Amino acid sequence: MNRRLFLGAGLASAAAACGVVRATRDPTVAAPTALAGDRVVALSAVRRLVVERRDPLAGRCSYVADTTVQPILVARRGETFDAVIENALPQPTTVHFHGLTLPEAADGAGFDPIVPGARKQVRFEVKNRSGLYWFHAHPHGFTAEQVYGGLAGLLVVTDDDDAALDAALGLAPGNRRALAVADARVAGGAIRPYAPTEADCLHGWFGNRALANGELDARRVVAPGWVRLQILNACNARGLLLAFRGGEARGGDGLVPFHLVGTDGGLLAAPRAVERAFVYTGERVDVVIDPAGRREITAVSLEFDPRHHAQGTAPRPHHPARERYSPLAAASVCETAPRADSADRLPDGAELPLFALRIEGATRATPPLPSRLSALADAAAGPQDATRRIRLDFDERAGFLIDQTPYRLDELAFTVKRGAREVWEIRNSPISMPHPMHLHGFGFRVLRRQGTYGAARRFATESGARFPTDLGMKDTVLVWPNETIWLAVDFALPEDAVFRGAQRYMFHCHNLEHEDGTMMRNFAVL
Ligand code: C2O
Ligand code: CU
Ligand code: CU
């Protein structure tokens, strides 16, 4: 049987909506895309997922799903992944499916890395709501280097709500896109290898140019009418204040308004009209935008104050495993002194163009947006009193910490009863920086925020001083310095999922330099 065929009308139309032509009958042709670079493959069709280094000089790596390099995986809720993951890197790796509710064995967190040359059979069923999920390398001590090297891929999950939205929008073929935005240090047209200094270990590794699905200066051609974009911040450390510039200055700053329709774990209950949205590392947004007669729109990260209050450097984390394996890039200067020039990095919070949309074709109507997108209930209705308190601290000698405790692979910070509903209070120190905190395996809702700094507070337009991006199902949430946030975390398994025995998961900052450092804890669900 030809496994590359998109079986079932739902998946075929989802694939078409993601910018690919309908199912091909030619088994030699990978799921064709409207444009080079966007390679859509059905999750259930993958048999072999190879993790390989394709440029040993610069340390650039890719995922290869059977024959498709850097695939965008698409699955309908309920479908199964059943494939062999092969590690062809010179370092251990794992493939973590960020946002999915999976048992420990399939989660791909760093507990059980695949050593170079080894393989691992991984099987799971997608139980989550439709939304943009992603998969990335997660071997402790190597995560930041491997993700920067390119080991991050997209997984678009579809379901009936998702299909209903596409239908209501009357999307033209090619007008739905999934984009992973990352920043890279580019000099002379080439991406520099990962080589963090002690200052990078403290603040994170920042580049000077954006890649969208691995391309510099990415441009996508879309038709007039609604455009639906599912966007991931796949940067190691850079926060994005996402907005769209329309070229001409209409109404002041030339920003094109858009509608936020979904976040990490799927669709909101109803669309929210916004002009900008914070999207921190690991977070996703699902947006719908009307080009309204423009011929080009540029997605940008607007300038903002990124609140890096912590000063100094963090010690380079010591990972015994790093001594056994070489860096990904032969040209890496990983353990040497910082270079003096900084032309290849742009500070966090500086304006950065991300990708462009070129609008071509006959004008097309934009039907009204549906007022209901999903049955997601209002989180504010449940209990609000904290059942677990977590502190994010800064320590001059150790760097950033969760509850004063540096990460250890063999430690458990706490255990949780399966099915428990907890309220987490997470407080970030005033002498700190923004930390996008990520919970493996279980989605949560943001209940309220307190102590948000002035310029960001301006965008906290929702009840509980929340941002519009706090309204959906989340797995990663930004905590500004001095802020306290309250989350409702539900440890129930999705319908008919059975995980036997204790399962370990991770809770960490998704600034990858912080994650590889000390800012992670393990917990178990019993
Ligand atoms: Cu996307 Cu533990 O990570
Ligand atoms: Cu994750
Ligand atoms: Cu952090």
Side-chain angles (χ1 to χ4, degrees):
M1 191 191 78
N2 170 22
R3 299 203 147 108
R4 292 206 157 277
L5 292 184
F6 287 114
L7 303 171
L11 187 55
S13 65
C18 287
V20 297
V21 179
R22 286 212 176 247
T24 172
R25 297 250 149 221
D26 177 355
T28 63
V29 178
T33 60
L35 278 156
D38 293 353
R39 314 186 116 241
V40 178
V41 170
L43 179 81
S44 58
V46 179
R47 288 297 163 265
R48 237 178 121 223
L49 186 69
V50 182
V51 190
E52 65 174 34
R53 181 172 63 170
R54 84 186 128 75
D55 175 358
L57 267 184
R60 304 307 298 169
C61 302
S62 27
Y63 287 117
V64 184
D66 299 309
T67 54
T68 306
V69 180
Q70 293 296 65
I72 294 179
L73 301 177
V74 181
R76 205 169 157 87
R77 185 180 188 173
E79 285 185 343
T80 297
F81 176 79
D82 191 357
V84 176
I85 298 175
E86 294 181 24
N87 181 7
L89 300 178
Q91 298 180 342
T93 197
T94 71
V95 180
H96 168 55
F97 290 86
H98 178 131
L100 296 189
T101 302
L102 300 175
E104 178 183 327
D107 184 52
F111 296 116
D112 184 22
I114 311 170
V115 297
R119 49 176 63 196
K120 182 179 176 186
Q121 184 79 31
V122 174
R123 189 180 183 285
F124 63 81
E125 199 176 305
V126 177
K127 299 285 190 185
N128 296 71
R129 308 167 76 221
S130 58
L132 180 66
Y133 299 87
W134 61 302
F135 53 103
H136 64 82
H138 210 303
H140 191 53
F142 301 91
T143 301
E145 181 185 14
Q146 293 185 9
V147 171
Y148 177 72
L151 294 179
L154 298 173
L155 166 60
V156 178
V157 176
T158 66
D159 63 8
D160 291 346
D161 287 340
D162 180 79
L165 173 58
D166 284 355
L169 296 173
L171 288 183
N175 275 28
R176 176 169 172 181
R177 302 282 176 163
L179 293 149
V181 172
D183 62 340
R185 291 193 184 175
V186 178
I191 299 178
R192 290 226 159 138
Y194 185 69
T197 63
E198 291 196 337
D200 294 330
C201 287
L202 182 71
H203 294 278
W205 170 263
F206 297 100
N208 58 345
R209 301 273 300 278
L211 303 168
N213 294 353
E215 281 170 62
L216 284 168
D217 302 316
R219 177 182 297 259
R220 295 290 182 273
V221 178
V222 297
W226 289 118
V227 180
R228 181 175 173 194
L229 303 171
Q230 289 176 288
I231 300 172
L232 158 72
N233 180 341
C235 298
N236 277 36
R238 180 180 298 277
L240 303 176
L241 180 53
L242 176 72
F244 296 90
R245 290 203 186 279
E248 68 292 330
R250 293 194 182 189
D253 48 15
L255 296 184
V256 185
F258 58 99
H259 302 269
L260 181 74
V261 295
T263 56
D264 304 348
L267 295 172
L268 305 182
R272 276 286 192 282
V274 294
E275 276 197 341
R276 61 203 103 200
F278 282 113
V279 187
Y280 259 70
T281 53
E283 289 189 299
R284 289 87 72 202
V285 284
D286 195 339
V287 307
V288 166
I289 187 165
D290 175 11
R294 296 177 183 83
R295 305 177 87 188
E296 182 147 319
I297 288 178
T298 310
V300 297
S301 180
L302 296 174
E303 189 176 347
F304 66 96
D305 174 359
R307 313 301 273 186
H308 289 236
H309 290 324
Q311 295 300 323
T313 58
R316 197 187 307 281
H318 176 71
H319 296 289
R322 284 218 64 110
E323 284 153 23
R324 296 203 294 277
Y325 301 98
S326 52
L328 288 174
S332 174
V333 286
C334 208
E335 312 302 337
T336 65
R339 291 167 334 139
D341 84 275
S342 56
D344 58 359
R345 75 215 64 162
L346 194 69
D348 196 16
E351 175 148 345
L352 179 69
L354 306 177
F355 60 86
L357 297 175
R358 171 102 210 140
I359 298 98
E360 285 176 8
T363 47
R364 192 177 171 111
T366 47
L369 281 181
S371 55
R372 276 324 276 170
L373 298 168
S374 75
L376 197 68
D378 184 358
Q384 306 272 314
D385 293 334
T387 52
R388 196 176 293 285
R389 292 190 169 80
I390 292 166
R391 297 287 174 269
L392 311 179
D393 310 295
F394 176 65
D395 179 290
E396 296 260 326
R397 278 157 312 160
F400 295 109
L401 297 171
I402 299 173
D403 288 336
Q404 299 290 348
T405 313
Y407 182 67
R408 274 186 33 206
L409 197 62
D410 58 359
E411 183 231 30
L412 277 184
F414 52 87
T415 59
V416 170
K417 270 241 195 62
R418 179 157 305 142
R421 285 163 201 273
E422 298 199 345
V423 175
W424 288 19
E425 178 191 286
I426 306 179
R427 172 167 300 171
N428 194 1
S429 149
I431 330 156
S432 191
M433 56 176 282
H435 297 294
M437 300 306 296
H438 169 53
L439 180 67
H440 281 219
F442 300 87
F444 55 79
R445 306 293 302 279
V446 182
L447 296 172
R448 59 189 194 277
R449 290 181 181 266
Q450 204 176 74
T452 313
Y453 81 95
R457 182 76 177 76
R458 191 153 73 83
F459 309 131
T461 50
E462 308 299 325
S463 64
R466 292 175 299 170
F467 300 113
T469 43
D470 290 334
L471 295 176
M473 184 61 77
K474 297 288 292 169
D475 55 54
T476 309
V477 64
L478 172 63
V479 195
W480 292 103
N482 190 49
E483 212 181 24
T484 305
I485 63 166
W486 287 266
L487 309 176
V489 195
D490 187 350
F491 289 95
L493 293 180
E495 225 185 303
D496 65 74
V498 254
F499 304 164
R500 290 182 210 293
Q503 309 288 327
R504 286 176 303 168
Y505 298 96
M506 292 174 170
F507 170 64
H508 61 84
C509 177
H510 222 291
N511 176 316
L512 298 183
E513 281 66 41
H514 296 177
E515 171 182 344
D516 262 345
T518 46
M519 213 176 176
M520 181 152 75
R521 301 297 301 273
N522 302 323
F523 67 98
V525 179
L526 303 175

